[in-house]
mmCIF file with all atom_site columns, all heavy atoms in Angstrom:
data_model
loop_
_atom_site.group_PDB
_atom_site.id
_atom_site.type_symbol
_atom_site.label_atom_id
_atom_site.label_alt_id
_atom_site.label_comp_id
_atom_site.label_asym_id
_atom_site.label_entity_id
_atom_site.label_seq_id
_atom_site.pdbx_PDB_ins_code
_atom_site.Cartn_x
_atom_site.Cartn_y
_atom_site.Cartn_z
_atom_site.occupancy
_atom_site.B_iso_or_equiv
_atom_site.pdbx_formal_charge
_atom_site.auth_seq_id
_atom_site.auth_comp_id
_atom_site.auth_asym_id
_atom_site.auth_atom_id
_atom_site.pdbx_PDB_model_num
ATOM 1   N N   . HIS A 1 15  ? -0.470  8.865   0.511   1.00 95.00 ? 32  HIS A N   1
ATOM 2   C CA  . HIS A 1 15  ? -1.636  9.715   0.361   1.00 95.00 ? 32  HIS A CA  1
ATOM 3   C C   . HIS A 1 15  ? -2.857  9.016   1.001   1.00 95.00 ? 32  HIS A C   1
ATOM 4   O O   . HIS A 1 15  ? -2.786  7.916   1.518   1.00 95.00 ? 32  HIS A O   1
ATOM 5   C CB  . HIS A 1 15  ? -1.916  10.028  -1.119  1.00 95.00 ? 32  HIS A CB  1
ATOM 6   C CG  . HIS A 1 15  ? -1.865  8.747   -1.983  1.00 95.00 ? 32  HIS A CG  1
ATOM 7   N ND1 . HIS A 1 15  ? -2.962  7.878   -2.039  1.00 95.00 ? 32  HIS A ND1 1
ATOM 8   C CD2 . HIS A 1 15  ? -0.939  8.285   -2.853  1.00 95.00 ? 32  HIS A CD2 1
ATOM 9   C CE1 . HIS A 1 15  ? -2.649  6.892   -2.871  1.00 95.00 ? 32  HIS A CE1 1
ATOM 10  N NE2 . HIS A 1 15  ? -1.438  7.095   -3.370  1.00 95.00 ? 32  HIS A NE2 1
ATOM 11  N N   . GLN A 1 25  ? -6.271  -0.534  7.281   1.00 85.00 ? 42  GLN A N   1
ATOM 12  C CA  . GLN A 1 25  ? -6.568  -1.976  7.446   1.00 85.00 ? 42  GLN A CA  1
ATOM 13  C C   . GLN A 1 25  ? -5.498  -2.637  8.349   1.00 85.00 ? 42  GLN A C   1
ATOM 14  O O   . GLN A 1 25  ? -5.811  -3.422  9.221   1.00 85.00 ? 42  GLN A O   1
ATOM 15  C CB  . GLN A 1 25  ? -6.580  -2.684  6.115   1.00 85.00 ? 42  GLN A CB  1
ATOM 16  C CG  . GLN A 1 25  ? -7.760  -2.280  5.214   1.00 85.00 ? 42  GLN A CG  1
ATOM 17  C CD  . GLN A 1 25  ? -7.836  -3.219  4.044   1.00 85.00 ? 42  GLN A CD  1
ATOM 18  O OE1 . GLN A 1 25  ? -8.056  -4.368  4.162   1.00 85.00 ? 42  GLN A OE1 1
ATOM 19  N NE2 . GLN A 1 25  ? -7.725  -2.633  2.823   1.00 85.00 ? 42  GLN A NE2 1
ATOM 20  N N   . ALA A 1 44  ? 9.942   -0.316  -5.603  1.00 92.00 ? 61  ALA A N   1
ATOM 21  C CA  . ALA A 1 44  ? 9.949   1.080   -6.018  1.00 92.00 ? 61  ALA A CA  1
ATOM 22  C C   . ALA A 1 44  ? 10.943  1.324   -7.158  1.00 92.00 ? 61  ALA A C   1
ATOM 23  O O   . ALA A 1 44  ? 10.794  2.291   -7.929  1.00 92.00 ? 61  ALA A O   1
ATOM 24  C CB  . ALA A 1 44  ? 10.260  1.968   -4.842  1.00 92.00 ? 61  ALA A CB  1
ATOM 25  N N   . MET A 1 59  ? 11.709  6.878   4.208   1.00 96.00 ? 76  MET A N   1
ATOM 26  C CA  . MET A 1 59  ? 11.659  7.301   5.627   1.00 96.00 ? 76  MET A CA  1
ATOM 27  C C   . MET A 1 59  ? 10.359  8.043   5.908   1.00 96.00 ? 76  MET A C   1
ATOM 28  O O   . MET A 1 59  ? 9.763   7.948   6.921   1.00 96.00 ? 76  MET A O   1
ATOM 29  C CB  . MET A 1 59  ? 12.861  8.143   5.982   1.00 96.00 ? 76  MET A CB  1
ATOM 30  C CG  . MET A 1 59  ? 12.957  8.467   7.456   1.00 96.00 ? 76  MET A CG  1
ATOM 31  S SD  . MET A 1 59  ? 12.854  6.952   8.486   1.00 96.00 ? 76  MET A SD  1
ATOM 32  C CE  . MET A 1 59  ? 14.348  6.144   8.064   1.00 96.00 ? 76  MET A CE  1
ATOM 33  N N   . TYR A 1 65  ? 3.358   5.505   8.611   1.00 95.00 ? 82  TYR A N   1
ATOM 34  C CA  . TYR A 1 65  ? 2.855   4.282   9.208   1.00 95.00 ? 82  TYR A CA  1
ATOM 35  C C   . TYR A 1 65  ? 2.740   4.492   10.743  1.00 95.00 ? 82  TYR A C   1
ATOM 36  O O   . TYR A 1 65  ? 1.712   4.183   11.342  1.00 95.00 ? 82  TYR A O   1
ATOM 37  C CB  . TYR A 1 65  ? 3.865   3.122   8.947   1.00 95.00 ? 82  TYR A CB  1
ATOM 38  C CG  . TYR A 1 65  ? 3.630   2.280   7.763   1.00 95.00 ? 82  TYR A CG  1
ATOM 39  C CD1 . TYR A 1 65  ? 4.147   2.660   6.519   1.00 95.00 ? 82  TYR A CD1 1
ATOM 40  C CD2 . TYR A 1 65  ? 2.879   1.134   7.833   1.00 95.00 ? 82  TYR A CD2 1
ATOM 41  C CE1 . TYR A 1 65  ? 3.949   1.872   5.368   1.00 95.00 ? 82  TYR A CE1 1
ATOM 42  C CE2 . TYR A 1 65  ? 2.710   0.292   6.696   1.00 95.00 ? 82  TYR A CE2 1
ATOM 43  C CZ  . TYR A 1 65  ? 3.234   0.687   5.478   1.00 95.00 ? 82  TYR A CZ  1
ATOM 44  O OH  . TYR A 1 65  ? 3.015   -0.093  4.393   1.00 95.00 ? 82  TYR A OH  1
ATOM 45  N N   . TRP A 1 91  ? 14.028  -15.057 -7.324  1.00 98.00 ? 108 TRP A N   1
ATOM 46  C CA  . TRP A 1 91  ? 14.703  -15.709 -8.440  1.00 98.00 ? 108 TRP A CA  1
ATOM 47  C C   . TRP A 1 91  ? 14.323  -17.157 -8.563  1.00 98.00 ? 108 TRP A C   1
ATOM 48  O O   . TRP A 1 91  ? 14.046  -17.654 -9.627  1.00 98.00 ? 108 TRP A O   1
ATOM 49  C CB  . TRP A 1 91  ? 16.236  -15.540 -8.315  1.00 98.00 ? 108 TRP A CB  1
ATOM 50  C CG  . TRP A 1 91  ? 16.952  -16.420 -9.263  1.00 98.00 ? 108 TRP A CG  1
ATOM 51  C CD1 . TRP A 1 91  ? 17.680  -17.551 -9.031  1.00 98.00 ? 108 TRP A CD1 1
ATOM 52  C CD2 . TRP A 1 91  ? 16.972  -16.232 -10.710 1.00 98.00 ? 108 TRP A CD2 1
ATOM 53  N NE1 . TRP A 1 91  ? 18.142  -18.093 -10.179 1.00 98.00 ? 108 TRP A NE1 1
ATOM 54  C CE2 . TRP A 1 91  ? 17.735  -17.309 -11.254 1.00 98.00 ? 108 TRP A CE2 1
ATOM 55  C CE3 . TRP A 1 91  ? 16.430  -15.305 -11.558 1.00 98.00 ? 108 TRP A CE3 1
ATOM 56  C CZ2 . TRP A 1 91  ? 17.967  -17.431 -12.593 1.00 98.00 ? 108 TRP A CZ2 1
ATOM 57  C CZ3 . TRP A 1 91  ? 16.658  -15.421 -12.931 1.00 98.00 ? 108 TRP A CZ3 1
ATOM 58  C CH2 . TRP A 1 91  ? 17.389  -16.505 -13.472 1.00 98.00 ? 108 TRP A CH2 1
ATOM 59  N N   . LYS A 1 109 ? -0.327  -4.244  -17.732 1.00 88.00 ? 126 LYS A N   1
ATOM 60  C CA  . LYS A 1 109 ? -0.940  -3.784  -18.954 1.00 88.00 ? 126 LYS A CA  1
ATOM 61  C C   . LYS A 1 109 ? -1.529  -2.389  -18.791 1.00 88.00 ? 126 LYS A C   1
ATOM 62  O O   . LYS A 1 109 ? -1.479  -1.568  -19.750 1.00 88.00 ? 126 LYS A O   1
ATOM 63  C CB  . LYS A 1 109 ? -2.025  -4.764  -19.391 1.00 88.00 ? 126 LYS A CB  1
ATOM 64  C CG  . LYS A 1 109 ? -1.499  -6.128  -19.861 1.00 88.00 ? 126 LYS A CG  1
ATOM 65  C CD  . LYS A 1 109 ? -2.555  -6.989  -20.535 1.00 88.00 ? 126 LYS A CD  1
ATOM 66  C CE  . LYS A 1 109 ? -3.608  -7.464  -19.595 1.00 88.00 ? 126 LYS A CE  1
ATOM 67  N NZ  . LYS A 1 109 ? -4.527  -8.469  -20.204 1.00 88.00 ? 126 LYS A NZ  1
ATOM 68  N N   . THR A 1 120 ? 12.017  -4.853  -17.159 1.00 94.00 ? 137 THR A N   1
ATOM 69  C CA  . THR A 1 120 ? 11.886  -6.214  -16.723 1.00 94.00 ? 137 THR A CA  1
ATOM 70  C C   . THR A 1 120 ? 11.361  -6.280  -15.300 1.00 94.00 ? 137 THR A C   1
ATOM 71  O O   . THR A 1 120 ? 10.565  -7.186  -14.950 1.00 94.00 ? 137 THR A O   1
ATOM 72  C CB  . THR A 1 120 ? 13.286  -6.923  -16.793 1.00 94.00 ? 137 THR A CB  1
ATOM 73  O OG1 . THR A 1 120 ? 13.746  -6.894  -18.163 1.00 94.00 ? 137 THR A OG1 1
ATOM 74  C CG2 . THR A 1 120 ? 13.143  -8.378  -16.409 1.00 94.00 ? 137 THR A CG2 1
ATOM 75  N N   . MET A 1 129 ? 6.556   -9.957  -5.614  1.00 96.00 ? 146 MET A N   1
ATOM 76  C CA  . MET A 1 129 ? 5.456   -9.848  -4.625  1.00 96.00 ? 146 MET A CA  1
ATOM 77  C C   . MET A 1 129 ? 5.109   -11.204 -4.052  1.00 96.00 ? 146 MET A C   1
ATOM 78  O O   . MET A 1 129 ? 4.786   -11.305 -2.855  1.00 96.00 ? 146 MET A O   1
ATOM 79  C CB  . MET A 1 129 ? 4.259   -9.236  -5.344  1.00 96.00 ? 146 MET A CB  1
ATOM 80  C CG  . MET A 1 129 ? 3.069   -9.015  -4.430  1.00 96.00 ? 146 MET A CG  1
ATOM 81  S SD  . MET A 1 129 ? 1.703   -8.112  -5.273  1.00 96.00 ? 146 MET A SD  1
ATOM 82  C CE  . MET A 1 129 ? 0.471   -8.185  -3.996  1.00 96.00 ? 146 MET A CE  1
ATOM 83  N N   . ARG A 1 155 ? -0.762  -17.222 -5.437  1.00 97.00 ? 172 ARG A N   1
ATOM 84  C CA  . ARG A 1 155 ? -1.246  -18.598 -5.141  1.00 97.00 ? 172 ARG A CA  1
ATOM 85  C C   . ARG A 1 155 ? -0.889  -19.554 -6.304  1.00 97.00 ? 172 ARG A C   1
ATOM 86  O O   . ARG A 1 155 ? -0.510  -20.713 -6.053  1.00 97.00 ? 172 ARG A O   1
ATOM 87  C CB  . ARG A 1 155 ? -2.731  -18.571 -4.890  1.00 97.00 ? 172 ARG A CB  1
ATOM 88  C CG  . ARG A 1 155 ? -3.148  -17.980 -3.553  1.00 97.00 ? 172 ARG A CG  1
ATOM 89  C CD  . ARG A 1 155 ? -4.571  -18.254 -3.226  1.00 97.00 ? 172 ARG A CD  1
ATOM 90  N NE  . ARG A 1 155 ? -5.478  -17.516 -4.059  1.00 97.00 ? 172 ARG A NE  1
ATOM 91  C CZ  . ARG A 1 155 ? -5.939  -16.295 -3.792  1.00 97.00 ? 172 ARG A CZ  1
ATOM 92  N NH1 . ARG A 1 155 ? -5.556  -15.672 -2.653  1.00 97.00 ? 172 ARG A NH1 1
ATOM 93  N NH2 . ARG A 1 155 ? -6.752  -15.709 -4.633  1.00 97.00 ? 172 ARG A NH2 1
ATOM 94  N N   . GLU A 1 168 ? 4.595   -29.554 0.307   1.00 97.00 ? 185 GLU A N   1
ATOM 95  C CA  . GLU A 1 168 ? 3.825   -28.374 0.708   1.00 97.00 ? 185 GLU A CA  1
ATOM 96  C C   . GLU A 1 168 ? 4.793   -27.386 1.376   1.00 97.00 ? 185 GLU A C   1
ATOM 97  O O   . GLU A 1 168 ? 4.773   -27.260 2.612   1.00 97.00 ? 185 GLU A O   1
ATOM 98  C CB  . GLU A 1 168 ? 2.693   -28.744 1.623   1.00 97.00 ? 185 GLU A CB  1
ATOM 99  C CG  . GLU A 1 168 ? 1.584   -29.565 0.948   1.00 97.00 ? 185 GLU A CG  1
ATOM 100 C CD  . GLU A 1 168 ? 0.921   -28.846 -0.206  1.00 97.00 ? 185 GLU A CD  1
ATOM 101 O OE1 . GLU A 1 168 ? 0.571   -27.653 -0.034  1.00 97.00 ? 185 GLU A OE1 1
ATOM 102 O OE2 . GLU A 1 168 ? 0.775   -29.449 -1.289  1.00 97.00 ? 185 GLU A OE2 1
ATOM 103 N N   . LYS A 1 176 ? -7.423  -9.943  1.795   1.00 88.00 ? 193 LYS A N   1
ATOM 104 C CA  . LYS A 1 176 ? -8.449  -9.347  2.624   1.00 88.00 ? 193 LYS A CA  1
ATOM 105 C C   . LYS A 1 176 ? -8.704  -7.896  2.063   1.00 88.00 ? 193 LYS A C   1
ATOM 106 O O   . LYS A 1 176 ? -7.837  -7.050  2.197   1.00 88.00 ? 193 LYS A O   1
ATOM 107 C CB  . LYS A 1 176 ? -8.014  -9.296  4.066   1.00 88.00 ? 193 LYS A CB  1
ATOM 108 C CG  . LYS A 1 176 ? -9.111  -8.802  5.065   1.00 88.00 ? 193 LYS A CG  1
ATOM 109 C CD  . LYS A 1 176 ? -8.627  -8.894  6.471   1.00 88.00 ? 193 LYS A CD  1
ATOM 110 C CE  . LYS A 1 176 ? -9.735  -8.439  7.466   1.00 88.00 ? 193 LYS A CE  1
ATOM 111 N NZ  . LYS A 1 176 ? -10.955 -9.271  7.379   1.00 88.00 ? 193 LYS A NZ  1
ATOM 112 N N   . VAL A 1 184 ? -9.863  4.235   -3.741  1.00 91.00 ? 201 VAL A N   1
ATOM 113 C CA  . VAL A 1 184 ? -10.089 5.658   -3.397  1.00 91.00 ? 201 VAL A CA  1
ATOM 114 C C   . VAL A 1 184 ? -9.835  6.494   -4.610  1.00 91.00 ? 201 VAL A C   1
ATOM 115 O O   . VAL A 1 184 ? -8.775  6.468   -5.231  1.00 91.00 ? 201 VAL A O   1
ATOM 116 C CB  . VAL A 1 184 ? -9.141  6.057   -2.255  1.00 91.00 ? 201 VAL A CB  1
ATOM 117 C CG1 . VAL A 1 184 ? -9.316  7.560   -1.936  1.00 91.00 ? 201 VAL A CG1 1
ATOM 118 C CG2 . VAL A 1 184 ? -9.431  5.246   -1.006  1.00 91.00 ? 201 VAL A CG2 1
ATOM 119 N N   . PRO A 1 205 ? 1.925   20.425  4.493   1.00 95.00 ? 222 PRO A N   1
ATOM 120 C CA  . PRO A 1 205 ? 1.545   21.668  5.143   1.00 95.00 ? 222 PRO A CA  1
ATOM 121 C C   . PRO A 1 205 ? 0.175   22.121  4.704   1.00 95.00 ? 222 PRO A C   1
ATOM 122 O O   . PRO A 1 205 ? -0.234  21.831  3.564   1.00 95.00 ? 222 PRO A O   1
ATOM 123 C CB  . PRO A 1 205 ? 2.664   22.605  4.687   1.00 95.00 ? 222 PRO A CB  1
ATOM 124 C CG  . PRO A 1 205 ? 3.795   21.755  4.375   1.00 95.00 ? 222 PRO A CG  1
ATOM 125 C CD  . PRO A 1 205 ? 3.224   20.508  3.826   1.00 95.00 ? 222 PRO A CD  1
ATOM 126 N N   . GLU A 1 208 ? -0.420  23.697  1.182   1.00 97.00 ? 225 GLU A N   1
ATOM 127 C CA  . GLU A 1 208 ? -0.214  22.784  0.043   1.00 97.00 ? 225 GLU A CA  1
ATOM 128 C C   . GLU A 1 208 ? -1.321  21.714  -0.005  1.00 97.00 ? 225 GLU A C   1
ATOM 129 O O   . GLU A 1 208 ? -1.743  21.302  -1.066  1.00 97.00 ? 225 GLU A O   1
ATOM 130 C CB  . GLU A 1 208 ? 1.133   22.081  0.201   1.00 97.00 ? 225 GLU A CB  1
ATOM 131 C CG  . GLU A 1 208 ? 2.329   23.032  0.046   1.00 97.00 ? 225 GLU A CG  1
ATOM 132 C CD  . GLU A 1 208 ? 3.646   22.339  0.274   1.00 97.00 ? 225 GLU A CD  1
ATOM 133 O OE1 . GLU A 1 208 ? 3.837   21.225  -0.280  1.00 97.00 ? 225 GLU A OE1 1
ATOM 134 O OE2 . GLU A 1 208 ? 4.489   22.909  0.981   1.00 97.00 ? 225 GLU A OE2 1
ATOM 135 N N   . PRO A 1 226 ? -28.396 22.900  -10.021 1.00 97.00 ? 243 PRO A N   1
ATOM 136 C CA  . PRO A 1 226 ? -28.169 21.600  -9.357  1.00 97.00 ? 243 PRO A CA  1
ATOM 137 C C   . PRO A 1 226 ? -27.009 20.885  -9.982  1.00 97.00 ? 243 PRO A C   1
ATOM 138 O O   . PRO A 1 226 ? -26.671 21.089  -11.156 1.00 97.00 ? 243 PRO A O   1
ATOM 139 C CB  . PRO A 1 226 ? -29.476 20.838  -9.626  1.00 97.00 ? 243 PRO A CB  1
ATOM 140 C CG  . PRO A 1 226 ? -30.488 21.929  -9.945  1.00 97.00 ? 243 PRO A CG  1
ATOM 141 C CD  . PRO A 1 226 ? -29.713 23.012  -10.634 1.00 97.00 ? 243 PRO A CD  1
ATOM 142 N N   . SER A 1 238 ? -17.051 11.225  1.734   1.00 96.00 ? 255 SER A N   1
ATOM 143 C CA  . SER A 1 238 ? -17.692 10.098  2.418   1.00 96.00 ? 255 SER A CA  1
ATOM 144 C C   . SER A 1 238 ? -16.667 9.230   3.197   1.00 96.00 ? 255 SER A C   1
ATOM 145 O O   . SER A 1 238 ? -17.071 8.463   4.084   1.00 96.00 ? 255 SER A O   1
ATOM 146 C CB  . SER A 1 238 ? -18.439 9.234   1.407   1.00 96.00 ? 255 SER A CB  1
ATOM 147 O OG  . SER A 1 238 ? -17.549 8.598   0.507   1.00 96.00 ? 255 SER A OG  1
ATOM 148 N N   . LYS A 1 250 ? -24.706 16.102  -0.284  1.00 98.00 ? 267 LYS A N   1
ATOM 149 C CA  . LYS A 1 250 ? -25.395 15.683  -1.501  1.00 98.00 ? 267 LYS A CA  1
ATOM 150 C C   . LYS A 1 250 ? -26.604 16.557  -1.749  1.00 98.00 ? 267 LYS A C   1
ATOM 151 O O   . LYS A 1 250 ? -26.901 16.928  -2.910  1.00 98.00 ? 267 LYS A O   1
ATOM 152 C CB  . LYS A 1 250 ? -25.732 14.213  -1.413  1.00 98.00 ? 267 LYS A CB  1
ATOM 153 C CG  . LYS A 1 250 ? -24.579 13.260  -1.550  1.00 98.00 ? 267 LYS A CG  1
ATOM 154 C CD  . LYS A 1 250 ? -25.034 11.775  -1.560  1.00 98.00 ? 267 LYS A CD  1
ATOM 155 C CE  . LYS A 1 250 ? -23.859 10.889  -1.796  1.00 98.00 ? 267 LYS A CE  1
ATOM 156 N NZ  . LYS A 1 250 ? -24.255 9.453   -1.894  1.00 98.00 ? 267 LYS A NZ  1
ATOM 157 N N   . THR A 1 254 ? -27.556 18.953  -4.930  1.00 97.00 ? 271 THR A N   1
ATOM 158 C CA  . THR A 1 254 ? -28.777 18.726  -5.677  1.00 97.00 ? 271 THR A CA  1
ATOM 159 C C   . THR A 1 254 ? -29.673 19.989  -5.708  1.00 97.00 ? 271 THR A C   1
ATOM 160 O O   . THR A 1 254 ? -30.296 20.307  -6.738  1.00 97.00 ? 271 THR A O   1
ATOM 161 C CB  . THR A 1 254 ? -29.598 17.585  -5.057  1.00 97.00 ? 271 THR A CB  1
ATOM 162 O OG1 . THR A 1 254 ? -28.813 16.407  -5.015  1.00 97.00 ? 271 THR A OG1 1
ATOM 163 C CG2 . THR A 1 254 ? -30.909 17.324  -5.835  1.00 97.00 ? 271 THR A CG2 1
ATOM 164 N N   . LEU A 1 272 ? -8.315  17.827  7.505   1.00 97.00 ? 289 LEU A N   1
ATOM 165 C CA  . LEU A 1 272 ? -7.574  18.416  8.607   1.00 97.00 ? 289 LEU A CA  1
ATOM 166 C C   . LEU A 1 272 ? -8.030  17.905  9.932   1.00 97.00 ? 289 LEU A C   1
ATOM 167 O O   . LEU A 1 272 ? -7.185  17.494  10.772  1.00 97.00 ? 289 LEU A O   1
ATOM 168 C CB  . LEU A 1 272 ? -7.652  19.933  8.596   1.00 97.00 ? 289 LEU A CB  1
ATOM 169 C CG  . LEU A 1 272 ? -6.773  20.704  7.598   1.00 97.00 ? 289 LEU A CG  1
ATOM 170 C CD1 . LEU A 1 272 ? -6.950  22.194  7.784   1.00 97.00 ? 289 LEU A CD1 1
ATOM 171 C CD2 . LEU A 1 272 ? -5.320  20.317  7.754   1.00 97.00 ? 289 LEU A CD2 1
ATOM 172 N N   . TYR A 1 291 ? 14.582  6.704   17.852  1.00 98.00 ? 308 TYR A N   1
ATOM 173 C CA  . TYR A 1 291 ? 13.509  5.764   18.153  1.00 98.00 ? 308 TYR A CA  1
ATOM 174 C C   . TYR A 1 291 ? 13.048  5.055   16.908  1.00 98.00 ? 308 TYR A C   1
ATOM 175 O O   . TYR A 1 291 ? 12.842  3.842   16.906  1.00 98.00 ? 308 TYR A O   1
ATOM 176 C CB  . TYR A 1 291 ? 12.393  6.502   18.848  1.00 98.00 ? 308 TYR A CB  1
ATOM 177 C CG  . TYR A 1 291 ? 11.124  5.696   19.044  1.00 98.00 ? 308 TYR A CG  1
ATOM 178 C CD1 . TYR A 1 291 ? 10.994  4.674   19.949  1.00 98.00 ? 308 TYR A CD1 1
ATOM 179 C CD2 . TYR A 1 291 ? 9.977   6.028   18.261  1.00 98.00 ? 308 TYR A CD2 1
ATOM 180 C CE1 . TYR A 1 291 ? 9.859   3.942   20.085  1.00 98.00 ? 308 TYR A CE1 1
ATOM 181 C CE2 . TYR A 1 291 ? 8.783   5.323   18.436  1.00 98.00 ? 308 TYR A CE2 1
ATOM 182 C CZ  . TYR A 1 291 ? 8.738   4.309   19.312  1.00 98.00 ? 308 TYR A CZ  1
ATOM 183 O OH  . TYR A 1 291 ? 7.562   3.572   19.455  1.00 98.00 ? 308 TYR A OH  1
ATOM 184 N N   . LYS A 1 297 ? 15.309  -1.494  12.939  1.00 98.00 ? 314 LYS A N   1
ATOM 185 C CA  . LYS A 1 297 ? 16.336  -2.531  13.215  1.00 98.00 ? 314 LYS A CA  1
ATOM 186 C C   . LYS A 1 297 ? 15.702  -3.764  13.814  1.00 98.00 ? 314 LYS A C   1
ATOM 187 O O   . LYS A 1 297 ? 15.963  -4.883  13.400  1.00 98.00 ? 314 LYS A O   1
ATOM 188 C CB  . LYS A 1 297 ? 17.415  -1.974  14.140  1.00 98.00 ? 314 LYS A CB  1
ATOM 189 C CG  . LYS A 1 297 ? 18.580  -2.896  14.410  1.00 98.00 ? 314 LYS A CG  1
ATOM 190 C CD  . LYS A 1 297 ? 19.653  -2.196  15.221  1.00 98.00 ? 314 LYS A CD  1
ATOM 191 C CE  . LYS A 1 297 ? 20.876  -3.108  15.417  1.00 98.00 ? 314 LYS A CE  1
ATOM 192 N NZ  . LYS A 1 297 ? 20.598  -4.277  16.187  1.00 98.00 ? 314 LYS A NZ  1
ATOM 193 N N   . GLY A 1 319 ? 17.415  -28.276 -4.218  1.00 97.00 ? 336 GLY A N   1
ATOM 194 C CA  . GLY A 1 319 ? 18.718  -28.926 -4.466  1.00 97.00 ? 336 GLY A CA  1
ATOM 195 C C   . GLY A 1 319 ? 19.869  -28.037 -4.451  1.00 97.00 ? 336 GLY A C   1
ATOM 196 O O   . GLY A 1 319 ? 20.991  -28.422 -4.894  1.00 97.00 ? 336 GLY A O   1
#
Side-chain angles (χ1 to χ4, degrees):
H32 50 76
Q42 293 190 60
M76 189 51 66
Y82 269 87
W108 169 251
K126 292 192 291 187
T137 303
M146 182 173 174
R172 288 193 290 271
E185 294 298 313
K193 186 174 181 63
V201 175
E225 295 176 44
S255 66
K267 288 185 175 183
T271 301
L289 279 184
Y308 168 71
K314 183 175 184 295

